[in-house]
Amino acid sequence: MGPVPRTLELFYDVLSPYSWLGFEILCRYQNIWNINLQLRPSFIGGIMKDSGNKAPALIPRKAQYMANDIKVLRQHVQVPIQFPKDFFSVILEKGSLSAMRFLTAVNLEHPEMLENVSRELWMRIWSRDEDITQPQSILAAAEKAGMSAEQAQGLLEKSSTSKVKNQLKETTDAACRYGAFGLPITVAHVDGQTHMVFGSDRMELLAYLLGEKWMGPVPPAVNARL
Amino acid sequence: MGPVPRTLELFYDVLSPYSWLGFEILCRYQNIWNINLQLRPSFIGGIMKDSGNKAPALIPRKAQYMANDIKVLRQHVQVPIQFPKDFFSVILEKGSLSAMRFLTAVNLEHPEMLENVSRELWMRIWSRDEDITQPQSILAAAEKAGMSAEQAQGLLEKSSTSKVKNQLKETTDAACRYGAFGLPITVAHVDGQTHMVFGSDRMELLAYLLGIFCGPGGCLSSPYPQGFQEEVHH
């Protein structure tokens, strides 16, 4: 038996583009590095409020930078990410509370589906510029991920229970206690120590902290499998 | 004759720790990649003001994150960087205007010394927790970089002329026009296009934009290239 896998917690919100990039990179590495990747659906709105931070897009030059950055990263990370047409409305007004409550419910009842459903929600908002706030939008993502209509409907109903609302709050609070001022954050548990890295552009640093090899955002093993 | 080197402009301020890390990484790669590294001393205070951004350290959790991040990057990037004891006083109150004016003067008169003098200023503020605002502090850094006392004194006097003040303003404005909301920014000129990357943690992306061959080990498997490591050990 080999060494014990290191636990990596990825706190993310589907509203966050960099969360998607970090998510895809770590999903690729979860079968290459000796890690146990734990996905933690969180609420970025709550983290901003609690930390006193503001969405970067509120500073015009940061918004401009992000727009360009996402274009370049689309190619570099090989994820079909693109800005929604009405960015401010989608990100700053509509938000992600229902979607993240749904993912919380998925994580409680069918954690094996969490990766796929998360991905389908990102594909809606951050690739096809589709809504993720209406019940039918969330159900469509769940079904695309492989859930039956019944299963999806059941989880949607559970989303508005106190249990699920509280779980999302707890996960968001956990991210805050790790020091989050935004998302994504990746928390690595290594040899009794905890390391938190912010953003999707610190994966090389994460590899260094884990003592693992960094092979870029699209590691060869992925290509070999395809 | 090989392909024309690509111009890389690094806009930096010695007040900025991530500027130091980006600077050292690019200095290491300037003789490995086919690039022409142009150092652009800028004033981060001016960029913050012009962009409407605020120093990250003003958000408590960001300050905490930076403190830890710098500790880890010290090892990973192999630069002797450490937080000054009274961070808020050093960074948010004392600032870097005189130092950046001095570097602007150096760049105008002795550009070949700019790399060394910049480094010595960083060593003062971001390694040994020493002042960089007083004239004698700046002169000490210049002399440590290899300048004569006379040369350094001459440049210090030039620092307060309109010519130098305006040049620093112009460089800072250029950074703003490239879209800077902080420092460091690296501007790569590639095949008629301009790419601006912010921060010191985007060097792999920069390599990708420069079309540097990216093998299975990634475009940048470490912030210190193989050759550099060998130099250090021999």
Side-chain angles (χ1 to χ4, degrees), chain A residues 204 208, chain B residues 24-25 28-29 32 73-79 220-230 232-233:
Chain A
E204 189 210 322
Y208 168 77
Chain B
E24 293 298 355
I25 293 172
R28 290 166 189 167
Y29 275 93
I32 298 175
L73 290 170
R74 179 191 168 99
Q75 305 302 326
H76 183 51
V77 186
Q78 290 192 14
V79 172
L220 194 75
S221 57
S222 80
Y224 40 90
Q226 202 67 33
F228 176 79
Q229 209 169 15
E230 281 162 14
V232 168
H233 292 144

Side-chain angles (χ1 to χ4, degrees), chain A residues 156-206:
Chain A
L156 192 62
E157 279 154 32
K158 289 212 164 82
S159 297
S160 46
T161 60
S162 312
K163 180 180 181 187
V164 170
K165 289 181 183 181
N166 287 337
Q167 180 61 61
L168 179 60
K169 266 206 200 80
E170 276 181 39
T171 307
T172 304
D173 285 347
C176 288
R177 282 195 307 274
Y178 279 128
F181 45 84
L183 289 176
I185 65 161
T186 306
V187 181
H189 301 267
V190 186
D191 303 329
Q193 291 208 310
T194 297
H195 302 278
M196 185 277 270
V197 285
F198 167 69
S200 63
D201 48 10
R202 286 305 186 81
M203 297 306 168
E204 189 210 322
L205 191 67
L206 191 66

